[in-house]
Amino acid sequence: MRRLLAWVFVLLIASGAAAAWWLHEPLATGAEPLELAIEPGTTPRGVARDVVAAGAHTNAQLLYAWFRLSGQDRLIKAGNYEIPAGTTPRSLLRMLVRGEEALRTLTLVEGWTFRQVRQALAKEDQIKQDTAQLTAEQIMAQLGRPGVHPEGRFFPDTYSYAKGSSDLALLRRALHAMDRRLEAAWAARASDVPLKSPDEALILASIVEKETGRASDRAQIAGVFANRLRVGMLLQTDPTVIYGLGEKFDGNLRRRDLQTDTPWNTYTRPGLPPTPIAMPGKAALLAAVQPASTRALYFVAKGDGSSHFSTSLDEHNRAVNRYQRGQSQ
């Protein structure tokens, strides 16, 4: 009897040692990470089967037993995961319980138009293309903003997303991010800023974003536009003309384009255009509501990314001749 008990004890110790070894032994997954998709409502047993079906060379029943014995089997989260080489049963369960999904990133760039945002989303093969067949108006309605023009309404930033998630979900995050940024900027506006609403601040910020070649000039450029708004001068900013031309713009802005009237042409129409013309970043938003104190009413690109600022038309014309036409003073 004593000998039998001794053998049982030895077997238990051996089984425990084998289990401990298995829990810390990497699953045979191969060199490339395995892709594992766990649908909502999948049982722990089903998860174990899915792991094996994804390519992990282990026993599904043994894996399921580990999930049950751990006491965390009901905490496993649905989602899209990548199982890298070296993953053990223990680390696998930890990943699934924490919901550490495989994430991709997409960067929305400052100064992009909504059309460029849609093009970037369309290139993401790991994101669900729920907006592909929708118009811009339909997208905004889906986002809870019916009748709102989409231009400039999404904050430029780098967004993480899980494989298989919706492009609409990413747009919603970017929309809410811009809401927060714009609200914060408007709350910090200067007392004398010539803007009547957060929407006007967003529109001006989008122009500042497109006109700024060097960050150090941003507030000064905003100051020029603020001065023009105060005295009722036309803004006369080329990016608004280009935006109004849309797909007709061929990369070369001509005099006749400046004279072609569109709702966004600030050479033919006074004040701000009806909508933003691009996505402004945080710095452009702050510059729009906190413009530099300046007497300048004009600026021209110097060719090195910076701008020359002028207080009079004569000075501005001389700067144009020098920097744009290459004429000596």
Side-chain angles (χ1 to χ4, degrees), residues 99-137:
E100 297 173 355
E101 294 187 68
L103 298 178
R104 274 74 175 173
T105 60
L106 174 64
T107 299
L108 305 183
V109 180
E110 295 171 349
W112 271 7
T113 62
F114 186 60
R115 182 172 61 182
Q116 290 173 299
V117 170
R118 297 197 68 178
Q119 289 171 346
L121 285 169
K123 292 178 182 177
E124 294 292 306
D125 59 0
Q126 302 295 339
I127 201 167
K128 188 179 178 184
Q129 303 290 333
D130 287 333
T131 67
Q133 304 303 318
L134 301 181
T135 65
E137 292 77 14

Side-chain angles (χ1 to χ4, degrees), residues 128-191:
K128 188 179 178 184
Q129 303 290 333
D130 287 333
T131 67
Q133 304 303 318
L134 301 181
T135 65
E137 292 77 14
Q138 289 171 331
I139 291 174
M140 294 307 289
Q142 288 283 327
L143 294 173
R145 304 290 173 85
V148 176
H149 197 279
E151 202 63 75
R153 295 290 173 176
F154 304 92
F155 187 71
D157 203 349
T158 297
Y159 295 91
S160 298
Y161 67 91
K163 179 182 176 181
S165 61
S166 171
D167 56 357
L168 199 62
L170 191 148
L171 285 175
R172 183 174 288 108
R173 289 165 56 200
L175 176 70
H176 292 163
M178 181 59 84
D179 288 343
R180 294 191 297 271
R181 295 288 188 177
L182 181 57
E183 181 181 4
W186 185 246
R189 69 190 182 278
S191 59

Side-chain angles (χ1 to χ4, degrees), residues 211-212 220-222 224-225 228 235-237 296-301 307-310 316 319-320:
E211 283 281 18
T212 302
Q220 187 89 337
I221 288 172
V224 169
F225 289 129
R228 287 189 164 226
L235 296 185
Q236 295 182 318
T237 168
L297 289 169
Y298 308 88
F299 65 91
V300 63
S307 298
H308 178 93
F309 297 88
S310 305
H316 175 64
V320 170

Side-chain angles (χ1 to χ4, degrees), residues 33-37 80-85 87 92 95 100-104 126 163:
L34 301 180
E35 294 188 358
L36 172 66
N80 294 278
Y81 299 89
E82 284 186 351
I83 305 175
T87 300
L92 172 65
M95 176 196 305
E100 297 173 355
E101 294 187 68
L103 298 178
R104 274 74 175 173
Q126 302 295 339
K163 179 182 176 181

Side-chain angles (χ1 to χ4, degrees), residues 43-44 64 66-76 93 97:
T43 65
Y64 169 60
W66 158 235
F67 293 164
R68 288 293 305 274
L69 289 171
S70 72
Q72 301 183 83
D73 54 318
R74 297 296 176 182
L75 301 179
I76 294 174
L93 180 59
V97 169

